[in-house]
Amino acid sequence: MHDTLITAPTYIYVPEPSYGLLEIHGPDAEDLLHRLSTNDIMQLDVGGSITTVFANPKGRIIDRVRIAKTHHAIYLYTSPDAAPIIKKWLDSYTFMEDVTVIDITEKKQTLEVMGARADDILNKLNAIHEISPNEYNQFHGMTPNETRSFPLCDSIQENTLVITRTDDPIYPCYLVQVQSSYVDKFLAAELPNTQWLSPSERDALRIYAGIPKAPNEINLKTNPLEIGLRTDISFNKGCYIGQEVILRLDTYKKVKRHLVKVSLGAGTTPLVGSDIVIKGSTLSSGRLTSIAEKIDGGFEGLALIKSGVRDYDQDFEIHQPGVKLQTYLYPIETSK
Amino acid sequence: MALTISIDHKAADKVREFAELQNMDQFGLRVGVKGGGCSGLTYVLDIEEGPRDDDKIIEEHGVRVFVDKKSYVFLAGTVLEYDDGLNGKGFEFKNPNAKSTCGCGTSFSV
């Protein structure tokens, strides 16, 4: 799949199911998010965004979210179906704080626009949304993690187009939040040189970039250090839920497994959850967590491999009845 | 387990001392919890002039204690003590609801 990126200038993906979206208001919002998640939310300025992890006291992951801050509100993009879980988590830890959390997943739709000509598509999107002329070109030159909101001509407060540059899973990538009622207009527009991604194609890009997702890698059995989310953790911000465990794992180098990329030969599609063993052995070295077919044959995947056997020169194979595929491990280059 | 929050004599004296330092004639001790800390919940202590709407108010050793209703669920039965020795910890919560506490003792889980 990633080989096609060279020829296709722009991709659009309408997440199915949609990413969860929470809108948060109140003077204590940043402080609450700061105390409940791994990253340094107090450093987040209006016009920025940051990824962070909500963990339980054992350091296991509830969800990884992207937080975007505008003048109007703070937005939390959660994994699909995770918005009610995160809302409940935030509500349960809200005592005297002045914070309101609203689940707007049904009202808004998030799209992803990515690839070398993504700017052109955003221009088209802005035109469809009738953004007032002085706002029209303001998304140009957006830097990674920047967030901008564009009030629409009808000037209704909630009709705001919010764009965040994520560069996830490819560079550049924009996360676009629009009113659900506008999506059909966008889908019907003529967008030359644009490829609409299917969920499996989008997932192949994610795997290529080595980015974990729920529930495959992000779940209550993993911690953020195991799955490569080190950059989502602030190690000097002070206490947050799960901090004691996460810090101990890091300080004493007790992370027991790591997420790696795997390349597998052609054959029967291996199942997510299959054991990965050192060639010739039956002892499990880890577990396949995500898999995608490569266009040139074979498969690419992600796997959680035990730290003691994470040897990139070693030959591995999938241990699954009826399937025998040569398997190679590769480190994930980015730490997203 | 007593379903109230109590404050011992030393802690009450210390609260009065802090209130005097802040020149407060009318005051009470705000006791509560907030989300966060390693174990999930962190104790909150503050001196405030008066109670807020819906606060539970407890008076002991001449000090009024204000507790919001949601925090009260996690604090019922708690005794607030003050340890002032050379190795003293200052204010200390003896909370029968806490299943575990973090290393520094300010955070707990239920």
Side-chain angles (χ1 to χ4, degrees):
Chain A
M1 170 63 213
H2 50 275
D3 297 334
T4 62
L5 292 178
I6 297 158
T7 54
T10 313
Y11 296 91
I12 297 176
Y13 177 58
V14 182
E16 184 54 46
S18 175
Y19 299 142
L21 184 56
L22 300 175
E23 184 176 300
I24 306 183
H25 296 273
D28 301 324
E30 285 100 333
D31 181 50
L32 181 70
L33 295 168
H34 187 77
R35 283 186 271 119
L36 300 188
S37 74
T38 56
N39 219 335
D40 190 348
I41 310 303
M42 299 310 284
Q43 297 296 319
L44 181 62
D45 293 324
V46 169
S49 79
I50 195 169
T51 48
T52 191
V53 173
F54 287 98
N56 66 18
K58 292 180 177 175
R60 306 298 175 123
I61 304 174
I62 295 162
D63 196 21
R64 181 200 195 199
V65 304
R66 177 172 288 276
I67 299 178
K69 189 174 175 183
T70 70
H71 282 290
H72 173 59
I74 290 175
Y75 296 99
L76 253 73
Y77 297 90
T78 75
S79 298
D81 302 324
I85 297 165
I86 296 299
K87 178 172 164 31
K88 193 175 171 188
W89 187 254
L90 294 175
D91 287 343
S92 68
Y93 284 108
T94 304
F95 290 84
M96 290 173 284
E97 296 90 345
D98 185 358
V99 175
T100 309
V101 182
I102 310 160
D103 188 344
I104 56 168
T105 307
E106 298 295 323
K107 278 172 61 180
K108 298 282 183 89
Q109 174 72 58
T110 46
L111 314 168
E112 286 176 325
V113 181
M114 60 189 98
R117 303 280 298 276
D119 284 10
D120 292 345
I121 298 302
L122 288 178
N123 257 334
K124 192 90 178 174
L125 182 70
N126 289 1
I128 291 165
H129 278 76
E130 297 165 339
I131 286 176
S132 52
N134 59 336
E135 306 277 357
Y136 184 74
N137 283 320
Q138 282 193 13
F139 73 87
H140 280 299
M142 281 180 71
T143 54
N145 291 320
E146 189 175 341
T147 294
R148 293 185 194 173
S149 58
F150 302 88
L152 304 185
C153 277
D154 57 15
S155 72
I156 299 170
Q157 178 78 62
E158 62 180 32
N159 279 354
T160 303
L161 182 71
V162 179
I163 300 178
T164 300
R165 183 166 163 183
T166 65
D167 290 355
D168 169 3
I170 62 170
Y171 165 86
C173 179
Y174 297 89
L175 188 61
V176 183
Q177 180 199 126
V178 294
Q179 285 293 111
S180 295
S181 54
Y182 278 86
V183 173
D184 287 344
K185 281 186 189 179
F186 185 54
L187 297 181
E190 268 189 40
L191 302 169
N193 300 317
T194 300
Q195 182 180 330
W196 294 81
L197 291 176
S198 67
S200 61
E201 288 169 330
R202 171 63 174 80
D203 208 39
L205 283 177
R206 174 189 71 81
I207 291 168
Y208 177 65
I211 298 168
K213 80 162 185 181
N216 300 47
E217 292 88 18
I218 292 174
N219 56 60
L220 282 168
K221 291 182 177 174
T222 56
N223 69 61
L225 291 169
E226 287 175 339
I227 61 169
L229 297 180
R230 195 179 175 81
T231 54
D232 286 2
I233 301 167
S234 167
F235 287 93
N236 54 16
K237 64 175 257 186
C239 291
Y240 57 85
I241 299 177
Q243 184 235 14
E244 201 163 65
V245 174
I246 291 169
L247 198 63
R248 193 165 55 232
L249 287 171
D250 187 63
T251 302
Y252 299 110
K253 304 202 181 329
K254 294 286 186 189
V255 179
K256 288 183 176 164
R257 50 190 187 160
H258 287 87
L259 192 68
V260 300
K261 279 173 73 172
V262 292
S263 176
L264 304 99
T268 308
T269 308
L271 296 173
V272 164
S274 297
D275 280 328
I276 294 174
V277 298
I278 292 173
K279 198 172 182 182
S281 164
T282 54
L283 201 62
S284 176
S285 293
R287 189 170 53 82
L288 189 67
T289 56
S290 291
I291 191 77
E293 207 165 344
K294 290 197 281 193
I295 55 166
D296 56 352
F299 301 93
E300 191 163 52
L302 297 176
L304 274 166
I305 299 292
K306 291 176 184 171
S307 304
V309 293
R310 191 176 45 140
D311 180 353
Y312 298 113
D313 296 324
Q314 177 75 52
D315 288 349
F316 289 84
E317 58 188 12
I318 286 286
H319 191 65
Q320 180 187 322
V323 179
K324 207 172 179 80
L325 296 177
Q326 187 89 354
T327 304
Y328 300 100
L329 312 187
Y330 295 94
I332 294 170
E333 285 169 15
T334 68
S335 53
K336 280 179 184 175
Chain B
M1 183 175 80
L3 285 178
T4 187
I5 296 168
S6 56
I7 176 170
D8 79 355
H9 204 283
K10 270 188 182 176
D13 287 347
K14 202 71 189 172
V15 170
R16 265 191 295 274
E17 196 179 313
F18 278 121
E20 279 171 23
L21 281 172
Q22 294 176 42
N23 297 319
M24 294 170 80
D25 296 331
Q26 293 291 316
F27 67 89
L29 180 67
R30 161 74 50 199
V31 178
V33 297
K34 64 179 184 179
C38 312
S39 300
L41 295 167
T42 306
Y43 295 112
V44 174
L45 273 182
D46 203 1
I47 293 175
E48 294 184 358
E49 283 187 350
R52 302 179 197 178
D53 293 344
D54 297 329
D55 269 349
K56 272 187 172 287
I57 303 167
I58 301 145
E59 188 158 355
E60 198 168 10
H61 302 301
V63 170
R64 289 186 301 164
V65 178
F66 308 140
V67 191
D68 67 285
K69 281 185 176 170
K70 195 170 175 183
S71 293
Y72 193 85
V73 174
F74 297 96
L75 293 172
T78 294
V79 180
L80 183 64
E81 298 178 351
Y82 189 81
D83 184 0
D84 61 355
L86 279 177
N87 293 312
K89 299 169 184 168
F91 286 101
E92 197 176 354
F93 287 84
K94 297 280 173 65
N95 183 355
N97 304 291
K99 279 186 187 163
S100 64
T101 56
C102 76
C104 59
T106 59
S107 171
F108 68 103
S109 67
V110 291

